[in-house]
Amino acid sequence: MTSPEEHQALLAASRALLLPLARLLVARGVPYAQAEESLKTAMVQAAQEAHPDGLPHRLVSRIATITGINRREVTRLTRLEDAPHAEPQRSAASQTFSRWRANPDYLDAQGKPLALRRQGDAPSFESLARGVTQDVHPRSLLDELLRLGMARLDAETDTVTLIHDAFVPSTDRARMLEFLAHNVGDHLSAAVANVVGPAPRHLERAVFADGLSPRAVAAAEAWVAEAWHKMAGDLAPFIEKLIAEEAHEPDSGRQQRFRAGLYAFTERDDGAPAAAPDAPPRTPPAPPGRTTE
């Protein structure tokens, strides 16, 4: 049980976490009833996870007691949870993009993705695509990357160039929401595990500064973008190397997943939307007066 002070802090934190989600739901026209159904389903799932060894015939009562949801609703929701769900799979396009960014055979001396011949022996886009899947034709994969605005085809030279540093297909809203769910979901899971667990288990840090000008913000965002570009360029091949080194080990010893990310957010100190920044200065700005890590 939490203390009254912690309970109030928890409710305040919940409101802060739910507000951005509410903005998304309102922006996309999702009614409250459907959002409430999702929250109830999540509460039931969390209660089940909290007591995995509970007696089956007491499960509904236990969940109802923990969540405050009535027994009839709990029964309905647990039946929905028991129904099979298809696990989300990474698309062949996203796997192709990731392999292009990480496999040393498709990178130049500086670790940047090569411009690839569309067809032919490796390194080519055809060999890259066939290394990801044999079920989708390389031309279909190329068409999908072109549709998403992630690659460019030069018809004169018949070469393909990667034109984005991260697989965020802005033209595909459904895919963007998948990325939101995975990235923000894992970030929040890391933070929650650090709070409710016996000791912090996950890296979850941030640097905060206020009282900045739009130009200073633009410079800071440019610095972060460059730092992420270098980190991702180094991390992806490192993970590929780890995967290759453990390929001979049994699957039972390789059942964990890993995600690392970076974010930056800007708004006015009063919560209003941030103004469009001017061009960043040529030299880094002086350190801000108030920062927090």
Side-chain angles (χ1 to χ4, degrees):
M1 299 295 289
T2 60
S3 67
E5 293 81 6
E6 184 180 352
H7 186 75
Q8 290 302 315
L10 177 57
L11 291 178
S14 298
R15 286 192 291 271
L17 295 173
L18 289 173
L19 180 56
L21 177 58
R23 288 172 179 151
L24 175 62
L25 297 175
V26 169
R28 292 294 180 261
V30 177
Y32 170 75
Q34 292 180 359
E36 181 188 32
E37 178 79 356
S38 296
L39 180 58
K40 284 194 296 186
T41 301
M43 292 285 289
V44 168
Q45 180 179 341
Q48 287 178 297
E49 293 173 354
H51 298 279
D53 300 325
L55 297 175
H57 66 281
R58 294 182 179 174
L59 179 64
V60 170
S61 295
R62 182 179 291 275
I63 293 175
T65 300
I66 293 172
T67 63
I69 302 172
N70 68 62
R71 289 169 52 89
R72 179 179 296 180
E73 277 291 274
V74 170
T75 299
R76 180 181 69 85
L77 292 169
T78 51
R79 287 174 179 170
L80 290 176
E81 283 295 308
D82 290 339
H85 296 281
E87 290 295 324
Q89 300 292 325
R90 292 181 62 201
S91 70
S94 68
Q95 293 181 60
T96 302
F97 180 92
S98 298
R99 185 177 178 86
W100 197 346
R101 290 273 292 123
N103 192 311
D105 293 340
Y106 298 92
L107 303 176
D108 62 18
Q110 288 72 45
K112 296 182 179 180
L114 291 166
L116 302 176
R117 301 188 312 278
R118 185 173 62 86
Q119 295 179 302
D121 296 333
S124 68
F125 184 84
E126 181 181 20
S127 66
L128 173 70
R130 294 200 182 282
V132 171
T133 178
Q134 298 291 326
D135 298 329
V136 181
H137 193 277
R139 180 68 209 203
S140 297
L141 274 179
L142 175 58
D143 288 343
E144 178 65 1
L145 287 176
L146 295 175
R147 182 186 74 84
L148 295 171
M150 312 305 291
R152 178 174 57 247
L153 174 63
D154 187 326
E156 291 187 3
T157 61
D158 203 27
T159 57
V160 185
T161 305
L162 204 62
I163 60 175
H164 278 245
D165 291 330
F167 191 77
V168 183
S170 57
T171 59
D172 189 332
R173 288 185 174 180
R175 191 69 57 77
M176 289 180 71
L177 290 172
E178 289 182 16
F179 277 98
L180 183 152
H182 294 161
N183 292 337
V184 179
D186 278 352
H187 186 172
L188 185 56
S189 293
V192 169
N194 288 346
V195 170
V196 303
R201 296 177 47 213
H202 305 282
L203 177 64
E204 203 269 326
R205 300 285 188 274
V207 173
F208 168 81
D210 59 9
L212 301 178
S213 70
R215 287 174 60 82
V217 166
E221 289 181 338
W223 189 96
V224 171
E226 181 61 28
W228 169 250
H229 183 81
K230 182 180 186 307
M231 174 183 164
D234 293 341
L235 181 58
F238 176 71
I239 293 177
E240 287 276 342
K241 179 174 178 291
L242 295 177
I243 293 172
E245 290 174 350
E246 296 183 343
H248 65 283
E249 297 186 4
D251 291 343
S252 59
R254 297 185 285 114
Q255 296 179 336
Q256 298 194 44
R257 65 183 184 86
F258 169 81
R259 185 187 301 267
L262 185 68
Y263 73 94
F265 177 72
T266 302
E267 69 175 0
R268 283 183 14 176
D269 292 342
D270 59 6
D278 299 326
R282 294 182 177 274
T283 56
R290 296 176 295 279
T291 61
T292 304
E293 180 175 359

